[in-house]
mmCIF file of all heavy atoms in Angstrom:
data_model
loop_
_atom_site.group_PDB
_atom_site.id
_atom_site.type_symbol
_atom_site.label_atom_id
_atom_site.label_comp_id
_atom_site.label_asym_id
_atom_site.label_seq_id
_atom_site.Cartn_x
_atom_site.Cartn_y
_atom_site.Cartn_z
ATOM 1 N N GLY A 12 112.964 83.831 91.679
ATOM 2 C CA GLY A 12 112.395 84.193 90.339
ATOM 3 C C GLY A 12 111.545 83.151 89.721
ATOM 4 O O GLY A 12 110.953 83.319 88.720
ATOM 5 N N ALA A 13 111.604 81.990 90.444
ATOM 6 C CA ALA A 13 110.725 80.800 89.914
ATOM 7 C C ALA A 13 109.261 80.723 90.437
ATOM 8 O O ALA A 13 108.549 79.789 90.157
ATOM 9 C CB ALA A 13 111.468 79.452 90.015
ATOM 10 N N PHE A 14 108.986 81.553 91.372
ATOM 11 C CA PHE A 14 107.628 81.628 92.154
ATOM 12 C C PHE A 14 106.926 82.816 91.965
ATOM 13 O O PHE A 14 107.392 83.891 92.438
ATOM 14 C CB PHE A 14 107.956 81.259 93.670
ATOM 15 C CG PHE A 14 108.483 79.897 93.791
ATOM 16 C CD1 PHE A 14 109.846 79.717 93.571
ATOM 17 C CD2 PHE A 14 107.689 78.825 94.108
ATOM 18 C CE1 PHE A 14 110.433 78.363 93.855
ATOM 19 C CE2 PHE A 14 108.310 77.512 94.222
ATOM 20 C CZ PHE A 14 109.549 77.293 94.161
ATOM 21 N N GLU A 15 105.686 82.843 91.471
ATOM 22 C CA GLU A 15 104.872 84.003 91.436
ATOM 23 C C GLU A 15 103.522 83.695 92.200
ATOM 24 O O GLU A 15 102.971 82.591 92.019
ATOM 25 C CB GLU A 15 104.494 84.368 89.958
ATOM 26 C CG GLU A 15 103.789 85.498 89.868
ATOM 27 C CD GLU A 15 103.489 85.951 88.342
ATOM 28 O OE1 GLU A 15 104.357 85.737 87.551
ATOM 29 O OE2 GLU A 15 102.410 86.567 88.124
ATOM 30 N N LYS A 16 103.242 84.598 93.240
ATOM 31 C CA LYS A 16 101.938 84.351 93.859
ATOM 32 C C LYS A 16 100.768 84.046 92.952
ATOM 33 O O LYS A 16 100.563 84.916 92.056
ATOM 34 C CB LYS A 16 101.803 85.368 94.916
ATOM 35 C CG LYS A 16 102.715 85.397 95.976
ATOM 36 C CD LYS A 16 102.409 86.473 97.020
ATOM 37 C CE LYS A 16 103.394 86.439 98.244
ATOM 38 N NZ LYS A 16 103.100 87.384 99.223
ATOM 39 N N SER A 17 99.937 83.206 93.324
ATOM 40 C CA SER A 17 98.708 82.955 92.606
ATOM 41 C C SER A 17 97.562 83.482 93.521
ATOM 42 O O SER A 17 97.550 83.454 94.673
ATOM 43 C CB SER A 17 98.539 81.490 92.414
ATOM 44 O OG SER A 17 97.170 81.110 92.099
ATOM 45 N N PRO A 18 96.450 83.823 92.933
ATOM 46 C CA PRO A 18 95.177 84.243 93.623
ATOM 47 C C PRO A 18 94.410 83.175 94.190
ATOM 48 O O PRO A 18 93.501 83.225 94.913
ATOM 49 C CB PRO A 18 94.400 85.018 92.616
ATOM 50 C CG PRO A 18 94.741 84.450 91.301
ATOM 51 C CD PRO A 18 96.194 84.014 91.415
ATOM 52 N N THR A 19 94.817 81.905 93.800
ATOM 53 C CA THR A 19 94.052 80.618 94.346
ATOM 54 C C THR A 19 94.057 80.571 95.850
ATOM 55 O O THR A 19 95.147 80.744 96.479
ATOM 56 C CB THR A 19 94.603 79.425 93.692
ATOM 57 O OG1 THR A 19 94.559 79.402 92.259
ATOM 58 C CG2 THR A 19 93.832 78.128 94.264
ATOM 59 N N ALA A 20 92.808 80.485 96.343
ATOM 60 C CA ALA A 20 92.744 80.398 97.971
ATOM 61 C C ALA A 20 92.411 79.084 98.348
ATOM 62 O O ALA A 20 91.724 78.220 97.672
ATOM 63 C CB ALA A 20 91.636 81.410 98.211
ATOM 64 N N TYR A 21 92.990 78.692 99.466
ATOM 65 C CA TYR A 21 92.566 77.358 100.116
ATOM 66 C C TYR A 21 92.817 77.614 101.695
ATOM 67 O O TYR A 21 93.752 78.184 102.070
ATOM 68 C CB TYR A 21 93.507 76.247 99.529
ATOM 69 C CG TYR A 21 93.316 74.940 100.287
ATOM 70 C CD1 TYR A 21 92.049 74.215 99.992
ATOM 71 C CD2 TYR A 21 94.177 74.380 101.240
ATOM 72 C CE1 TYR A 21 91.890 73.033 100.736
ATOM 73 C CE2 TYR A 21 93.883 73.343 101.948
ATOM 74 C CZ TYR A 21 92.871 72.653 101.688
ATOM 75 O OH TYR A 21 92.581 71.419 102.370
ATOM 76 N N HIS A 22 92.016 77.014 102.444
ATOM 77 C CA HIS A 22 92.121 77.053 103.810
ATOM 78 C C HIS A 22 92.126 75.544 104.428
ATOM 79 O O HIS A 22 91.192 74.764 104.128
ATOM 80 C CB HIS A 22 91.038 77.786 104.561
ATOM 81 C CG HIS A 22 91.093 77.555 106.111
ATOM 82 N ND1 HIS A 22 91.946 78.519 106.781
ATOM 83 C CD2 HIS A 22 90.545 76.988 106.984
ATOM 84 C CE1 HIS A 22 91.807 78.203 108.131
ATOM 85 N NE2 HIS A 22 91.023 77.230 108.158
ATOM 86 N N CYS A 23 93.198 75.090 105.082
ATOM 87 C CA CYS A 23 93.105 73.827 105.688
ATOM 88 C C CYS A 23 92.690 74.022 107.182
ATOM 89 O O CYS A 23 93.218 74.923 107.889
ATOM 90 C CB CYS A 23 94.607 73.233 105.739
ATOM 91 S SG CYS A 23 94.737 71.787 106.666
ATOM 92 N N PRO A 24 91.877 73.116 107.602
ATOM 93 C CA PRO A 24 91.385 73.301 109.002
ATOM 94 C C PRO A 24 92.314 73.256 110.111
ATOM 95 O O PRO A 24 92.346 73.824 111.206
ATOM 96 C CB PRO A 24 90.181 72.264 109.186
ATOM 97 C CG PRO A 24 90.111 71.515 108.074
ATOM 98 C CD PRO A 24 91.117 72.033 106.997
ATOM 99 N N TRP A 25 93.489 72.426 109.772
ATOM 100 C CA TRP A 25 94.529 72.433 111.022
ATOM 101 C C TRP A 25 95.749 73.048 110.600
ATOM 102 O O TRP A 25 96.532 73.378 111.550
ATOM 103 C CB TRP A 25 94.692 70.928 111.265
ATOM 104 C CG TRP A 25 95.324 70.085 110.309
ATOM 105 C CD1 TRP A 25 94.625 69.365 109.228
ATOM 106 C CD2 TRP A 25 96.566 69.801 110.197
ATOM 107 N NE1 TRP A 25 95.675 68.689 108.602
ATOM 108 C CE2 TRP A 25 96.792 68.839 109.144
ATOM 109 C CE3 TRP A 25 97.851 69.971 110.915
ATOM 110 C CZ2 TRP A 25 98.010 68.334 108.677
ATOM 111 C CZ3 TRP A 25 99.012 69.515 110.484
ATOM 112 C CH2 TRP A 25 99.118 68.619 109.493
ATOM 113 N N LYS A 26 95.948 73.415 109.360
ATOM 114 C CA LYS A 26 97.312 74.154 108.963
ATOM 115 C C LYS A 26 96.970 75.611 108.737
ATOM 116 O O LYS A 26 97.928 76.321 109.025
ATOM 117 C CB LYS A 26 97.772 73.512 107.679
ATOM 118 C CG LYS A 26 98.420 72.134 107.925
ATOM 119 C CD LYS A 26 99.136 71.453 106.773
ATOM 120 C CE LYS A 26 98.440 71.383 105.502
ATOM 121 N NZ LYS A 26 97.817 70.001 105.195
ATOM 122 N N GLY A 27 95.802 76.045 108.376
ATOM 123 C CA GLY A 27 95.579 77.470 108.071
ATOM 124 C C GLY A 27 95.411 77.847 106.651
ATOM 125 O O GLY A 27 95.137 76.982 105.832
ATOM 126 N N ASP A 28 95.672 79.034 106.329
ATOM 127 C CA ASP A 28 95.474 79.611 104.896
ATOM 128 C C ASP A 28 96.666 79.280 104.062
ATOM 129 O O ASP A 28 97.984 79.556 104.562
ATOM 130 C CB ASP A 28 95.287 81.084 104.935
ATOM 131 C CG ASP A 28 93.853 81.449 105.629
ATOM 132 O OD1 ASP A 28 92.872 80.618 105.408
ATOM 133 O OD2 ASP A 28 93.810 82.404 106.209
ATOM 134 N N ALA A 29 96.499 78.721 102.951
ATOM 135 C CA ALA A 29 97.674 78.437 102.012
ATOM 136 C C ALA A 29 97.877 79.583 101.044
ATOM 137 O O ALA A 29 97.027 80.313 100.672
ATOM 138 C CB ALA A 29 97.389 77.212 101.295
ATOM 139 N N GLN A 30 99.056 79.858 100.613
ATOM 140 C CA GLN A 30 99.471 80.539 99.562
ATOM 141 C C GLN A 30 99.863 79.672 98.315
ATOM 142 O O GLN A 30 100.681 78.915 98.454
ATOM 143 C CB GLN A 30 100.587 81.502 99.829
ATOM 144 C CG GLN A 30 101.152 82.297 98.747
ATOM 145 C CD GLN A 30 100.237 83.351 98.190
ATOM 146 O OE1 GLN A 30 99.789 84.192 98.817
ATOM 147 N NE2 GLN A 30 99.776 83.066 96.834
ATOM 148 N N TYR A 31 99.144 79.902 97.215
ATOM 149 C CA TYR A 31 99.482 79.073 96.023
ATOM 150 C C TYR A 31 100.433 79.880 95.144
ATOM 151 O O TYR A 31 100.445 81.074 95.165
ATOM 152 C CB TYR A 31 98.291 78.618 95.221
ATOM 153 C CG TYR A 31 97.753 77.326 95.713
ATOM 154 C CD1 TYR A 31 96.876 77.351 96.785
ATOM 155 C CD2 TYR A 31 98.014 76.198 95.110
ATOM 156 C CE1 TYR A 31 96.303 76.118 97.231
ATOM 157 C CE2 TYR A 31 97.628 74.980 95.579
ATOM 158 C CZ TYR A 31 96.686 74.983 96.659
ATOM 159 O OH TYR A 31 96.325 73.810 97.091
ATOM 160 N N PHE A 32 101.339 79.123 94.355
ATOM 161 C CA PHE A 32 102.248 79.744 93.501
ATOM 162 C C PHE A 32 102.166 79.190 92.134
ATOM 163 O O PHE A 32 102.114 77.915 91.918
ATOM 164 C CB PHE A 32 103.724 79.491 93.988
ATOM 165 C CG PHE A 32 103.983 80.179 95.234
ATOM 166 C CD1 PHE A 32 103.863 79.461 96.482
ATOM 167 C CD2 PHE A 32 104.412 81.537 95.430
ATOM 168 C CE1 PHE A 32 104.191 80.010 97.753
ATOM 169 C CE2 PHE A 32 104.586 82.017 96.611
ATOM 170 C CZ PHE A 32 104.536 81.249 97.833
ATOM 171 N N ASP A 33 102.329 79.950 91.097
ATOM 172 C CA ASP A 33 102.715 79.473 89.743
ATOM 173 C C ASP A 33 104.214 79.348 89.817
ATOM 174 O O ASP A 33 104.982 80.299 90.140
ATOM 175 C CB ASP A 33 102.202 80.540 88.625
ATOM 176 C CG ASP A 33 100.778 80.622 88.623
ATOM 177 O OD1 ASP A 33 99.993 79.778 89.006
ATOM 178 O OD2 ASP A 33 100.284 81.783 88.142
ATOM 179 N N VAL A 34 104.638 78.167 89.414
ATOM 180 C CA VAL A 34 106.090 77.798 89.606
ATOM 181 C C VAL A 34 106.806 77.541 88.256
ATOM 182 O O VAL A 34 106.209 76.779 87.430
ATOM 183 C CB VAL A 34 106.186 76.576 90.433
ATOM 184 C CG1 VAL A 34 107.691 76.231 90.712
ATOM 185 C CG2 VAL A 34 105.328 76.758 91.832
ATOM 186 N N GLY A 35 107.981 78.140 88.125
ATOM 187 C CA GLY A 35 108.782 77.743 86.991
ATOM 188 C C GLY A 35 109.276 79.078 86.230
ATOM 189 O O GLY A 35 109.168 80.146 86.790
ATOM 190 N N THR A 36 109.781 78.964 85.035
ATOM 191 C CA THR A 36 110.318 80.023 84.307
ATOM 192 C C THR A 36 110.193 79.759 82.849
ATOM 193 O O THR A 36 109.948 78.531 82.365
ATOM 194 C CB THR A 36 111.922 80.339 84.528
ATOM 195 O OG1 THR A 36 112.637 79.104 84.080
ATOM 196 C CG2 THR A 36 112.174 80.568 86.040
ATOM 197 N N GLY A 37 110.062 80.784 81.980
ATOM 198 C CA GLY A 37 109.829 80.548 80.581
ATOM 199 C C GLY A 37 108.795 79.780 80.223
ATOM 200 O O GLY A 37 107.526 80.074 80.788
ATOM 201 N N ASP A 38 108.836 78.789 79.290
ATOM 202 C CA ASP A 38 107.773 77.976 78.951
ATOM 203 C C ASP A 38 107.412 76.861 79.950
ATOM 204 O O ASP A 38 106.464 76.104 79.891
ATOM 205 C CB ASP A 38 108.166 77.168 77.569
ATOM 206 C CG ASP A 38 108.221 78.271 76.462
ATOM 207 O OD1 ASP A 38 107.493 79.327 76.608
ATOM 208 O OD2 ASP A 38 108.825 78.110 75.481
ATOM 209 N N ASP A 39 108.308 76.729 80.932
ATOM 210 C CA ASP A 39 108.229 75.622 82.013
ATOM 211 C C ASP A 39 107.480 76.290 83.106
ATOM 212 O O ASP A 39 108.201 76.484 84.100
ATOM 213 C CB ASP A 39 109.439 74.944 82.355
ATOM 214 C CG ASP A 39 110.162 74.256 81.224
ATOM 215 O OD1 ASP A 39 109.433 73.687 80.424
ATOM 216 O OD2 ASP A 39 111.266 74.068 81.137
ATOM 217 N N VAL A 40 106.283 76.474 83.126
ATOM 218 C CA VAL A 40 105.540 77.040 84.270
ATOM 219 C C VAL A 40 104.276 76.107 84.742
ATOM 220 O O VAL A 40 103.492 75.850 83.800
ATOM 221 C CB VAL A 40 104.986 78.517 84.114
ATOM 222 C CG1 VAL A 40 104.218 79.046 85.206
ATOM 223 C CG2 VAL A 40 106.235 79.455 83.816
ATOM 224 N N ALA A 41 104.192 75.790 85.968
ATOM 225 C CA ALA A 41 103.127 75.043 86.473
ATOM 226 C C ALA A 41 102.055 76.030 87.233
ATOM 227 O O ALA A 41 102.549 76.509 88.173
ATOM 228 C CB ALA A 41 103.642 74.006 87.364
ATOM 229 N N LYS A 42 100.918 76.186 86.659
ATOM 230 C CA LYS A 42 99.972 76.949 87.250
ATOM 231 C C LYS A 42 99.545 76.321 88.613
ATOM 232 O O LYS A 42 99.196 75.107 88.574
ATOM 233 C CB LYS A 42 98.713 77.123 86.388
ATOM 234 C CG LYS A 42 97.734 78.134 87.007
ATOM 235 C CD LYS A 42 96.876 78.777 86.117
ATOM 236 C CE LYS A 42 95.689 79.574 86.641
ATOM 237 N NZ LYS A 42 96.117 80.554 87.656
ATOM 238 N N ASP A 43 99.663 77.139 89.683
ATOM 239 C CA ASP A 43 99.347 76.654 91.074
ATOM 240 C C ASP A 43 100.058 75.416 91.439
ATOM 241 O O ASP A 43 99.547 74.452 92.059
ATOM 242 C CB ASP A 43 97.769 76.362 91.122
ATOM 243 C CG ASP A 43 96.957 77.559 91.175
ATOM 244 O OD1 ASP A 43 97.465 78.674 91.400
ATOM 245 O OD2 ASP A 43 95.703 77.486 90.971
#
């Protein structure tokens, strides 16, 4: 419940495509 998928896109040339998350709950949320 502390992770919500974000639409932010990133591609690392050697790791691949990343999935970003807005992390936290209530007032304590870190965007991406």
